[in-house]
Amino acid sequence: MQSPFKYTFVLLLSVLVLSSCDEDKYADWKIINEVWLENLKEENKDNPDFIVTESGLCYQIIHTGSSTRPNGESYIEATYKGSLISGKTFDSGEYKRFLSEAIPGWREAIPKITRGGRIILYIPASLGYGDDGSGSIPPYSTLKFDLTLNYVINYY
């Protein structure tokens, strides 16, 4: 039996492909991403490991890690893979910077794990790259990250 989520996604994707006369060429993409994220929340509403914050960030901690917990002033090193809701990877690699330089979704989520921790993030556009997008990330994109926090230095 197919998930209603898959049918909804296919239907919305069809709307995106068939509507070419929209003033805002990303209006359909925005709706598809919002509906996809709402369906994800609905599918996981009974999963105690799937957390939805007040800001709309969704995450699942795979491993909490041990040792140092980052704060807003921390220098961090993390490995990650970022993908769109289509599953297309837009970036992967290492992040070696201050947490304060990251997108809002990362700044909110990463302090929930400690060094060695792994977290899966579902970041709404408002906590990612918003209505501007970035590089191969279209505007209004929900982002999925699989992230491992490898190193933390806290500056107070």
Side-chain angles (χ1 to χ4, degrees):
M1 182 173 169
Q2 293 288 331
S3 162
F5 170 71
K6 290 179 182 175
Y7 291 121
T8 303
F9 183 71
V10 169
L11 177 64
L12 287 172
L13 190 57
S14 299
V15 169
L16 176 66
V17 170
L18 295 175
S19 65
S20 59
C21 58
D22 238 299
E23 285 184 36
D24 180 358
K25 69 180 187 174
Y26 292 105
D28 293 332
W29 179 246
K30 178 181 180 181
I31 293 168
I32 288 169
N33 278 263
E34 290 170 352
V35 169
W36 185 92
L37 190 57
E38 288 306 312
N39 282 335
L40 181 70
K41 291 175 188 177
E42 180 63 25
E43 286 181 356
N44 286 282
K45 70 180 178 190
D46 296 325
N47 179 352
D49 296 326
F50 187 86
I51 310 298
V52 180
T53 69
E54 192 174 308
S55 69
L57 171 73
C58 302
Y59 67 92
Q60 186 171 4
I61 296 174
I62 306 303
H63 177 66
T64 56
S66 60
S67 186
T68 310
R69 182 175 303 279
N71 61 48
E73 303 300 317
S74 297
Y75 174 85
I76 66 165
E77 292 183 7
T79 52
Y80 66 92
K81 176 183 171 189
S83 56
L84 302 174
I85 63 171
S86 65
K88 177 184 176 196
T89 299
F90 60 81
D91 194 15
S92 64
E94 293 185 347
Y95 179 93
K96 295 181 177 184
R97 290 189 287 243
F98 288 96
L99 183 55
S100 61
E101 298 174 22
I103 60 174
W106 277 35
R107 292 194 310 258
E108 180 179 347
I110 291 175
K112 298 181 183 313
I113 58 175
T114 60
R115 193 182 77 174
R118 181 173 167 226
I119 190 168
I120 306 294
L121 307 173
Y122 299 93
I123 301 176
S126 62
L127 298 175
Y129 294 100
D131 56 0
D132 293 327
S134 177
S136 62
I137 303 170
Y140 309 112
S141 292
T142 296
L143 308 175
K144 177 185 177 186
F145 287 96
D146 185 337
L147 181 142
T148 300
L149 183 60
N150 300 316
Y151 188 72
V152 177
I153 299 176
N154 284 328
Y155 297 96
Y156 295 104

